[in-house]
Amino acid sequence: GGHVQECSSLPAGIRVSRSLGPMKLWAKASSEGAGGEFPKDLKILVADKAPASALSELRAQRHQVDYHPDLTSEELQGAIEDHEPDVLVVRATKVTKAALTAAPCLKLILRAGAGTDNIDRSSAKGAGVVVANCPGANADAVAELCWALILAADRNVIQQKEELKEGVWNKVTHANTMTHKGIKGRSIGILGFGMIGKEVARRAAAFGMQVLIWGRSYQETPGIVHIPELGIDVESCSSVGDVAERSDVISVHLPKAKGTDRLLDQSFFDRMQDNSIFVNTARGSVVDAKALLNAIESKGLKVGLDVYDDEPVLWTGTFDNELAKHPSTVSTQHVGAGTMQADDAISV
């Protein structure tokens, strides 16, 4: 289920489903409060990009929808003051304490995605505002990008493209079987085994890989664990270091949360195998960037990154990051959930 905080300040008759899809506003009316009907005439401010179909459906349900997809985090406070929404829908836009202070009517913040670290949840709680998300809706999209990064890193796809653009043919390097292990039958370590991690494991099974995991729900049961929804067995490890030592590929799916900041530090990378692959499509804050740079140089790691600790908040802008520019890194721009299918899933 989603991260949902039940608060007494919700309008009479409104409950929030833990299986909500934010873009359709699963704010349900209780039977005693509103006869089991959806609440009508809510004022909804959508402050990020959203599918037209979701907006149309909300309007068809007689909600007032104000759509401002290009709002910056700095502009959000003014938009809240102008529109006085009951519900705020965001994706990447940051919701600060100042924005919440400007929102006396606000009852619900819906994050159109998995994490809620762009929302000041402590201030929201103090203001009696429910914060909810839609975990799992973008799991397929993120898993697909994760595998694109793994395969591109393994076969030097980006480096080969750059050389070909310059008229260089360098097969002697890119077909070196000493450094390109291949994927079939290798081991993959998945750090964080929620919905996204499981979809990565599903695809790993198709490559015949051994799946090692580390996650909070499995720390008490090290050893072989059967995952019924996937129909496969995985091995739960007692520490991230154990996963690092035994994996040809590491894929990170940890949230930004207490206990995960810089969790993957120098000691973790020291235990990774030489010439192995490291991919992070979760949050930049879980990785010690300097330690990862050192490991690229000292251990020949091949890296795929979709997230960075200092990435821009805006959809467009400038970005200067040493890891993103490194020739051993396949770099994308926090686009894991950026597919039409993911948008549709979030809207459901």
Side-chain angles (χ1 to χ4, degrees), residues 168-192:
V168 174
W169 186 264
N170 188 17
K171 185 175 179 178
V172 66
T173 295
H174 301 302
N176 184 344
T177 57
M178 297 300 293
T179 56
H180 301 291
K181 298 179 179 180
I183 295 297
K184 180 181 177 181
R186 303 292 181 179
S187 58
I188 182 171
I190 301 175
L191 305 180

Side-chain angles (χ1 to χ4, degrees), residues 102-124:
C105 299
L106 190 63
K107 304 299 186 296
L108 182 64
I109 301 173
L110 299 173
R111 166 89 211 294
T116 57
D117 49 284
N118 58 319
I119 300 168
D120 186 336
R121 296 188 65 189
S122 177
S123 295

Side-chain angles (χ1 to χ4, degrees), residues 69-273:
D70 298 319
L71 281 177
T72 67
S73 299
E74 292 74 20
E75 294 167 339
L76 181 61
Q77 180 177 347
I80 289 173
E81 290 173 345
D82 291 341
H83 296 287
E84 297 184 340
D86 301 299
V87 179
L88 172 65
V89 180
V90 296
R91 185 170 178 177
T93 305
K94 287 192 175 182
V95 184
T96 63
K97 180 178 181 179
L100 287 159
T101 302
C105 299
L106 190 63
K107 304 299 186 296
L108 182 64
I109 301 173
L110 299 173
R111 166 89 211 294
T116 57
D117 49 284
N118 58 319
I119 300 168
D120 186 336
R121 296 188 65 189
S122 177
S123 295
K125 182 177 181 180
V129 177
V130 174
V131 176
N133 64 348
C134 52
N138 60 8
D140 285 319
V142 177
E144 289 167 1
L145 179 65
C146 173
W147 274 100
L149 295 174
I150 291 171
L151 295 172
D154 181 56
R155 302 303 293 270
N156 286 3
V157 170
I158 304 302
Q159 295 91 330
Q160 291 191 60
K161 171 65 176 179
E162 291 302 310
E163 289 177 356
L164 288 170
K165 284 168 61 178
E166 300 298 323
V168 174
W169 186 264
N170 188 17
K171 185 175 179 178
V172 66
T173 295
H174 301 302
N176 184 344
T177 57
M178 297 300 293
T179 56
H180 301 291
K181 298 179 179 180
I183 295 297
K184 180 181 177 181
R186 303 292 181 179
S187 58
I188 182 171
I190 301 175
L191 305 180
F193 203 59
M195 294 182 182
I196 296 172
K198 287 177 180 176
E199 289 305 323
V200 172
R202 187 193 303 277
R203 289 153 177 81
F207 284 98
M209 301 186 78
Q210 177 190 9
V211 179
L212 309 173
I213 68 167
W214 181 85
R216 62 183 181 181
S217 299
Y218 299 89
Q219 290 176 359
E220 304 301 322
T221 55
I224 302 301
V225 180
H226 182 67
I227 310 300
E229 60 266 44
L230 302 181
I232 64 172
D233 292 336
V234 303
E235 184 175 348
S236 174
C237 297
S238 58
S239 71
V240 295
D242 290 343
V243 178
E245 280 186 353
R246 299 176 55 195
S247 300
D248 298 294
V249 179
I250 294 287
S251 187
V252 182
H253 305 283
L254 297 167
K256 181 176 182 177
K258 183 178 180 181
T260 66
D261 186 62
R262 308 297 183 275
L263 175 66
L264 308 182
D265 56 11
Q266 189 66 56
S267 63
F268 171 84
F269 290 111
D270 284 346
R271 296 178 70 174
M272 282 191 67
Q273 300 178 22

